[in-house]
Amino acid sequence: MTLQLKQGDEHPVFVASSGRRARLLWVLGIVLALACLAYAALIGISFMGDSGRAPDPVPASSAAYRSGSVP
């Protein structure tokens, strides 16, 4: 399917000269960029959060082991 232009027509039929669509896309891009930045910040904070040691799998048995009551 091809678009046939009449003689004398030099530009497309629809031209958005108001810029609303461009502004909308700009705002959506900024919102998406901020969301990605916030997600990256959360990932970075999660890596800095703890010493990296895993918690004791069974706290009661490890407490008994530390006290010396486990043979």
Side-chain angles (χ1 to χ4, degrees):
M1 181 175 169
T2 61
L3 178 63
Q4 299 277 332
L5 297 178
K6 296 178 187 176
Q7 287 183 347
D9 288 343
E10 296 179 5
H11 11 152
V13 176
F14 176 75
V15 177
S17 62
S18 67
R20 288 186 313 189
R21 186 174 296 139
R23 274 190 299 249
L24 176 66
L25 290 175
W26 177 262
V27 169
L28 289 176
I30 294 294
V31 168
L32 182 64
L34 288 175
C36 289
L37 184 64
Y39 181 70
L42 285 176
I43 296 292
I45 289 170
S46 71
F47 281 126
M48 297 184 330
D50 198 2
S51 64
R53 295 184 332 165
D56 293 334
V58 183
S61 64
S62 63
Y65 180 77
R66 287 187 196 132
S67 68
S69 63
V70 175

Coordinates of all heavy atoms in Angstrom, one line a residue:
M1 N 0.8 -1.2 0.0 CA 0.0 0.0 0.0 C 0.9 1.2 0.0 O 1.7 1.4 0.9 CB -0.9 0.0 1.2 CG -1.8 1.1 1.3 SD -2.9 0.9 2.7 CE -3.6 2.5 2.8
T2 N 0.7 2.1 -1.0 CA 1.5 3.3 -1.1 C 0.6 4.5 -0.9 O -0.6 4.5 -1.3 CB 2.3 3.4 -2.4 OG1 1.4 3.4 -3.5 CG2 3.3 2.2 -2.5
L3 N 1.2 5.6 -0.4 CA 0.4 6.8 -0.3 C 0.6 7.7 -1.5 O 1.8 8.0 -1.8 CB 0.9 7.5 1.0 CG 0.2 8.9 1.3 CD1 -1.3 8.7 1.5 CD2 0.8 9.5 2.5
Q4 N -0.4 8.0 -2.2 CA -0.3 8.8 -3.4 C -0.6 10.3 -3.0 O -1.6 10.6 -2.4 CB -1.4 8.4 -4.4 CG -1.2 7.0 -4.9 CD -0.2 6.9 -6.0 OE1 0.0 7.8 -6.7 NE2 0.5 5.7 -6.1
L5 N 0.3 11.2 -3.3 CA 0.1 12.6 -3.0 C -0.4 13.3 -4.2 O 0.0 13.0 -5.4 CB 1.5 13.2 -2.5 CG 2.0 12.7 -1.2 CD1 3.4 13.4 -1.0 CD2 1.1 12.9 -0.1
K6 N -1.2 14.2 -4.0 CA -1.7 15.0 -5.2 C -0.6 15.9 -5.6 O 0.3 16.3 -4.9 CB -2.9 15.9 -4.7 CG -4.1 15.1 -4.3 CD -5.2 16.0 -3.9 CE -6.4 15.3 -3.3 NZ -7.4 16.2 -2.8
Q7 N -0.7 16.4 -6.8 CA 0.3 17.3 -7.3 C 0.2 18.6 -6.5 O -0.9 19.1 -6.2 CB 0.0 17.6 -8.8 CG 0.4 16.5 -9.7 CD 0.2 16.9 -11.2 OE1 -0.4 17.9 -11.5 NE2 0.7 16.1 -12.0
G8 N 1.3 19.1 -6.1 CA 1.4 20.4 -5.3 C 1.5 20.1 -3.8 O 1.9 21.0 -3.1
D9 N 1.2 18.9 -3.4 CA 1.4 18.5 -2.0 C 2.8 18.1 -1.7 O 3.4 17.3 -2.4 CB 0.5 17.3 -1.6 CG -1.0 17.7 -1.5 OD1 -1.3 18.9 -1.4 OD2 -1.8 16.8 -1.5
E10 N 3.4 18.8 -0.8 CA 4.9 18.6 -0.5 C 5.1 17.9 0.8 O 6.2 17.5 1.1 CB 5.6 19.9 -0.6 CG 5.6 20.4 -2.0 CD 6.4 21.7 -2.1 OE1 7.0 22.1 -1.1 OE2 6.3 22.4 -3.2
H11 N 4.1 17.9 1.7 CA 4.3 17.3 3.0 C 3.3 16.3 3.3 O 2.3 16.2 2.6 CB 4.5 18.3 4.1 CG 4.1 19.7 3.9 ND1 3.6 20.5 4.8 CD2 4.1 20.5 2.8 CE1 3.4 21.7 4.4 NE2 3.7 21.7 3.2
P12 N 3.5 15.5 4.3 CA 2.4 14.5 4.7 C 1.1 15.1 5.1 O 1.0 16.3 5.3 CB 3.0 13.8 5.9 CG 4.5 14.1 5.9 CD 4.6 15.4 5.2
V13 N 0.1 14.3 5.1 CA -1.3 14.8 5.4 C -1.4 15.3 6.8 O -2.0 16.4 7.1 CB -2.3 13.7 5.1 CG1 -3.7 14.2 5.5 CG2 -2.2 13.3 3.7
F14 N -0.8 14.6 7.8 CA -0.9 15.0 9.2 C 0.5 15.4 9.7 O 1.4 14.7 9.6 CB -1.4 13.8 10.0 CG -1.5 14.1 11.5 CD1 -2.5 14.9 12.0 CD2 -0.5 13.6 12.3 CE1 -2.5 15.1 13.3 CE2 -0.6 13.8 13.7 CZ -1.6 14.6 14.2
V15 N 0.5 16.6 10.2 CA 1.7 17.1 10.9 C 1.3 17.7 12.2 O 0.5 18.6 12.3 CB 2.4 18.2 10.0 CG1 3.6 18.8 10.8 CG2 2.8 17.7 8.7
A16 N 1.9 17.1 13.3 CA 1.5 17.6 14.6 C 2.5 18.8 15.0 O 3.6 18.6 15.3 CB 1.7 16.5 15.7
S17 N 2.0 20.0 14.8 CA 2.8 21.1 15.1 C 2.7 21.6 16.5 O 3.5 22.5 16.9 CB 2.4 22.3 14.1 OG 1.1 22.6 14.3
S18 N 1.8 21.1 17.3 CA 1.6 21.6 18.7 C 2.7 21.1 19.6 O 3.0 21.7 20.6 CB 0.2 21.2 19.2 OG 0.2 19.8 19.4
G19 N 3.2 19.9 19.3 CA 4.3 19.3 20.2 C 3.8 18.6 21.4 O 4.6 18.2 22.3
R20 N 2.5 18.4 21.5 CA 1.9 17.7 22.6 C 2.4 16.2 22.7 O 2.8 15.8 23.8 CB 0.4 17.7 22.6 CG -0.2 19.0 22.9 CD -1.7 18.9 23.0 NE -2.2 18.1 21.9 CZ -3.5 18.0 21.6 NH1 -4.4 18.6 22.3 NH2 -3.9 17.3 20.5
R21 N 2.5 15.6 21.6 CA 2.9 14.2 21.6 C 4.4 14.1 22.0 O 4.8 13.2 22.7 CB 2.7 13.6 20.2 CG 3.0 12.1 20.2 CD 2.7 11.5 18.9 NE 1.2 11.6 18.6 CZ 0.7 11.9 17.5 NH1 1.4 12.1 16.4 NH2 -0.6 11.9 17.4
A22 N 5.2 15.0 21.5 CA 6.6 15.0 21.9 C 6.8 15.3 23.4 O 7.6 14.7 24.0 CB 7.4 16.1 21.1
R23 N 6.0 16.2 23.9 CA 6.1 16.5 25.4 C 5.6 15.2 26.2 O 6.2 14.9 27.2 CB 5.2 17.7 25.7 CG 5.9 19.0 25.6 CD 5.1 20.1 26.2 NE 3.8 20.1 25.5 CZ 3.5 21.1 24.7 NH1 4.2 22.1 24.5 NH2 2.3 21.1 24.1
L24 N 4.6 14.6 25.7 CA 4.1 13.4 26.4 C 5.2 12.3 26.4 O 5.5 11.7 27.5 CB 2.8 12.9 25.8 CG 2.3 11.6 26.3 CD1 1.8 11.8 27.8 CD2 1.1 11.0 25.5
L25 N 5.8 12.1 25.3 CA 6.9 11.1 25.2 C 8.1 11.5 26.1 O 8.7 10.6 26.7 CB 7.3 10.8 23.8 CG 6.3 10.1 22.9 CD1 6.8 10.1 21.5 CD2 6.0 8.7 23.4
W26 N 8.4 12.8 26.1 CA 9.5 13.3 27.0 C 9.2 13.0 28.4 O 10.0 12.5 29.2 CB 9.7 14.7 26.7 CG 10.7 15.4 27.6 CD1 10.5 16.0 28.7 CD2 12.1 15.3 27.4 NE1 11.7 16.4 29.2 CE2 12.7 16.0 28.4 CE3 12.9 14.8 26.4 CZ2 14.1 16.1 28.5 CZ3 14.3 14.9 26.5 CH2 14.9 15.6 27.5
V27 N 8.0 13.3 28.9 CA 7.6 13.1 30.3 C 7.6 11.6 30.6 O 8.1 11.2 31.6 CB 6.2 13.7 30.6 CG1 5.7 13.3 31.9 CG2 6.3 15.2 30.5
L28 N 7.0 10.8 29.7 CA 7.1 9.3 29.9 C 8.5 8.8 30.0 O 8.8 7.9 30.8 CB 6.3 8.6 28.8 CG 4.8 8.8 28.9 CD1 4.1 8.1 27.7 CD2 4.2 8.2 30.2
G29 N 9.4 9.3 29.2 CA 10.8 8.9 29.2 C 11.4 9.3 30.5 O 12.2 8.5 31.1
I30 N 11.1 10.5 31.0 CA 11.7 10.9 32.3 C 11.2 10.0 33.5 O 11.9 9.6 34.3 CB 11.3 12.4 32.6 CG1 12.0 13.3 31.6 CG2 11.7 12.8 34.0 CD1 13.5 13.3 31.7
V31 N 9.9 9.7 33.4 CA 9.3 8.9 34.5 C 9.9 7.5 34.5 O 10.3 6.9 35.5 CB 7.8 8.8 34.3 CG1 7.2 7.7 35.2 CG2 7.1 10.1 34.7
L32 N 10.1 6.9 33.3 CA 10.7 5.6 33.1 C 12.2 5.7 33.6 O 12.7 4.8 34.3 CB 10.7 5.1 31.7 CG 11.2 3.8 31.4 CD1 10.4 2.7 32.2 CD2 11.2 3.5 29.9
A33 N 12.9 6.7 33.3 CA 14.3 6.9 33.7 C 14.4 7.0 35.2 O 15.3 6.4 35.9 CB 14.9 8.1 33.1
L34 N 13.5 7.7 35.8 CA 13.5 7.8 37.3 C 13.2 6.5 38.0 O 13.7 6.2 39.0 CB 12.5 8.9 37.8 CG 12.9 10.3 37.5 CD1 11.8 11.3 37.8 CD2 14.2 10.7 38.2
A35 N 12.2 5.8 37.4 CA 11.9 4.4 37.9 C 13.1 3.5 37.9 O 13.4 2.8 38.8 CB 10.7 3.8 37.2
C36 N 13.8 3.5 36.7 CA 15.0 2.7 36.6 C 16.1 3.1 37.6 O 16.8 2.3 38.1 CB 15.5 2.8 35.2 SG 14.5 1.9 34.0
L37 N 16.3 4.4 37.8 CA 17.3 5.0 38.7 C 16.9 4.5 40.1 O 17.8 4.1 40.9 CB 17.3 6.5 38.6 CG 18.4 7.2 39.4 CD1 19.8 6.7 39.0 CD2 18.2 8.7 39.3
A38 N 15.7 4.6 40.5 CA 15.2 4.2 41.8 C 15.5 2.7 42.0 O 16.0 2.3 43.1 CB 13.8 4.5 42.1
Y39 N 15.2 1.9 41.0 CA 15.4 0.5 41.1 C 16.9 0.2 41.2 O 17.3 -0.7 42.1 CB 14.9 -0.2 39.9 CG 15.0 -1.7 39.9 CD1 14.3 -2.5 40.8 CD2 15.9 -2.4 39.0 CE1 14.5 -3.9 40.8 CE2 16.1 -3.7 39.0 CZ 15.4 -4.5 39.9 OH 15.5 -5.8 39.9
A40 N 17.8 0.9 40.5 CA 19.2 0.7 40.6 C 19.7 1.1 42.0 O 20.6 0.4 42.5 CB 19.9 1.5 39.5
A41 N 19.2 2.1 42.5 CA 19.5 2.6 43.9 C 19.2 1.5 44.9 O 20.0 1.2 45.8 CB 18.9 3.9 44.2
L42 N 18.0 0.9 44.8 CA 17.6 -0.1 45.7 C 18.5 -1.3 45.6 O 18.9 -1.9 46.6 CB 16.2 -0.6 45.5 CG 15.1 0.4 45.9 CD1 13.7 -0.1 45.5 CD2 15.2 0.6 47.4
I43 N 18.9 -1.7 44.4 CA 19.8 -2.8 44.2 C 21.2 -2.5 44.9 O 21.8 -3.3 45.6 CB 20.0 -3.1 42.7 CG1 18.7 -3.6 42.1 CG2 21.1 -4.1 42.5 CD1 18.3 -5.0 42.6
G44 N 21.7 -1.3 44.7 CA 22.9 -0.8 45.3 C 22.9 -0.8 46.8 O 23.8 -1.3 47.5
I45 N 21.8 -0.4 47.3 CA 21.6 -0.3 48.8 C 21.5 -1.8 49.3 O 22.1 -2.1 50.4 CB 20.3 0.5 49.2 CG1 20.6 1.9 48.9 CG2 19.9 0.3 50.6 CD1 19.4 2.8 49.0
S46 N 20.9 -2.7 48.6 CA 20.8 -4.0 49.1 C 22.2 -4.7 49.1 O 22.4 -5.6 50.0 CB 19.8 -4.8 48.2 OG 20.4 -5.1 47.0
F47 N 23.1 -4.3 48.3 CA 24.4 -4.9 48.3 C 25.2 -4.3 49.5 O 26.1 -5.0 50.0 CB 25.2 -4.7 47.0 CG 24.8 -5.6 45.9 CD1 24.3 -5.1 44.7 CD2 24.8 -7.0 46.1 CE1 24.0 -6.0 43.7 CE2 24.5 -7.8 45.1 CZ 24.0 -7.3 43.9
M48 N 24.9 -3.1 49.9 CA 25.7 -2.5 51.0 C 25.1 -2.8 52.3 O 25.6 -2.4 53.3 CB 25.7 -1.0 50.8 CG 26.4 -0.6 49.5 SD 26.6 1.2 49.3 CE 25.2 1.9 50.1
G49 N 24.0 -3.5 52.4 CA 23.2 -3.6 53.6 C 23.8 -4.4 54.7 O 23.8 -4.0 55.9
D50 N 24.3 -5.6 54.5 CA 24.7 -6.5 55.6 C 26.1 -7.0 55.3 O 26.7 -6.7 54.3 CB 23.7 -7.7 55.6 CG 23.8 -8.4 56.9 OD1 24.5 -8.0 57.8 OD2 23.1 -9.4 57.0
S51 N 26.6 -7.7 56.3 CA 28.0 -8.2 56.2 C 28.1 -9.4 55.2 O 29.2 -9.8 54.9 CB 28.5 -8.7 57.6 OG 27.7 -9.7 58.0
G52 N 27.0 -10.0 54.8 CA 27.0 -11.1 53.9 C 27.0 -12.5 54.6 O 26.9 -13.5 53.9
R53 N 27.0 -12.5 55.9 CA 26.8 -13.8 56.6 C 25.4 -14.2 56.6 O 24.5 -13.5 56.8 CB 27.3 -13.7 58.0 CG 28.8 -13.4 58.2 CD 29.2 -13.3 59.6 NE 28.1 -13.0 60.5 CZ 28.1 -13.1 61.8 NH1 29.2 -13.7 62.4 NH2 27.1 -12.8 62.5
A54 N 25.2 -15.5 56.4 CA 23.9 -16.0 56.4 C 23.4 -16.2 57.9 O 24.3 -16.5 58.7 CB 23.8 -17.4 55.7
P55 N 22.2 -16.1 58.2 CA 21.7 -16.3 59.5 C 21.8 -17.8 59.9 O 21.9 -18.7 59.0 CB 20.2 -15.9 59.5 CG 19.8 -15.9 58.1 CD 21.1 -15.7 57.3
D56 N 21.8 -18.1 61.2 CA 21.9 -19.5 61.6 C 20.6 -20.2 61.2 O 19.5 -19.7 61.4 CB 22.0 -19.5 63.2 CG 23.3 -19.0 63.7 OD1 24.3 -19.1 62.9 OD2 23.4 -18.5 64.8
P57 N 20.7 -21.4 60.6 CA 19.5 -22.1 60.1 C 18.6 -22.5 61.2 O 17.4 -22.4 61.0 CB 20.1 -23.3 59.3 CG 21.5 -23.4 59.8 CD 21.9 -22.1 60.3
V58 N 19.1 -23.0 62.3 CA 18.3 -23.4 63.4 C 18.9 -22.7 64.7 O 19.9 -23.1 65.3 CB 18.4 -24.9 63.6 CG1 17.4 -25.3 64.8 CG2 18.0 -25.6 62.3
P59 N 18.3 -21.5 65.1 CA 18.9 -20.7 66.1 C 19.0 -21.5 67.5 O 20.0 -21.3 68.2 CB 17.9 -19.5 66.3 CG 17.2 -19.5 65.0 CD 17.2 -20.9 64.5
A60 N 18.1 -22.3 67.8 CA 18.1 -23.0 69.1 C 19.3 -24.0 69.2 O 20.0 -24.0 70.2 CB 16.8 -23.8 69.4
S61 N 19.6 -24.7 68.1 CA 20.7 -25.7 68.2 C 22.0 -24.9 68.2 O 23.0 -25.4 68.8 CB 20.6 -26.6 67.0 OG 20.8 -25.9 65.8
S62 N 22.1 -23.8 67.5 CA 23.4 -23.1 67.5 C 23.7 -22.5 68.8 O 24.8 -22.4 69.2 CB 23.4 -22.1 66.3 OG 22.4 -21.1 66.6
A63 N 22.6 -22.0 69.5 CA 22.8 -21.5 70.8 C 23.3 -22.6 71.8 O 24.1 -22.3 72.6 CB 21.5 -20.8 71.3
A64 N 22.7 -23.7 71.7 CA 23.1 -24.8 72.5 C 24.6 -25.2 72.2 O 25.3 -25.6 73.1 CB 22.2 -26.0 72.4
Y65 N 24.9 -25.2 71.0 CA 26.3 -25.6 70.6 C 27.3 -24.6 71.1 O 28.4 -24.9 71.6 CB 26.4 -25.6 69.1 CG 27.7 -26.0 68.6 CD1 28.2 -27.3 68.6 CD2 28.6 -25.0 68.0 CE1 29.4 -27.7 68.2 CE2 29.8 -25.4 67.6 CZ 30.3 -26.7 67.6 OH 31.5 -27.0 67.2
R66 N 26.9 -23.3 71.1 CA 27.8 -22.2 71.6 C 28.0 -22.4 73.1 O 29.1 -22.0 73.7 CB 27.3 -20.9 71.3 CG 27.5 -20.5 69.8 CD 27.1 -19.1 69.5 NE 26.9 -19.0 68.1 CZ 25.9 -18.4 67.5 NH1 24.9 -17.9 68.2 NH2 25.8 -18.3 66.2
S67 N 27.0 -22.8 73.8 CA 27.0 -22.9 75.3 C 27.8 -24.1 75.7 O 28.2 -24.2 76.9 CB 25.6 -22.9 75.9 OG 25.0 -24.1 75.6
G68 N 28.1 -25.0 74.8 CA 28.8 -26.2 75.2 C 28.0 -27.4 75.6 O 28.6 -28.4 76.1
S69 N 26.7 -27.3 75.6 CA 25.9 -28.4 76.1 C 25.7 -29.5 75.1 O 25.1 -30.5 75.4 CB 24.5 -27.9 76.6 OG 23.8 -27.3 75.5
V70 N 26.1 -29.3 73.8 CA 25.9 -30.3 72.8 C 27.2 -31.1 72.7 O 28.3 -30.6 72.7 CB 25.7 -29.6 71.4 CG1 25.7 -30.6 70.3 CG2 24.4 -28.8 71.4
P71 N 27.1 -32.5 72.8 CA 28.3 -33.3 72.8 C 29.0 -33.3 71.5 O 28.6 -33.0 70.5 CB 27.8 -34.7 73.1 CG 26.3 -34.7 72.9 CD 25.9 -33.2 72.9

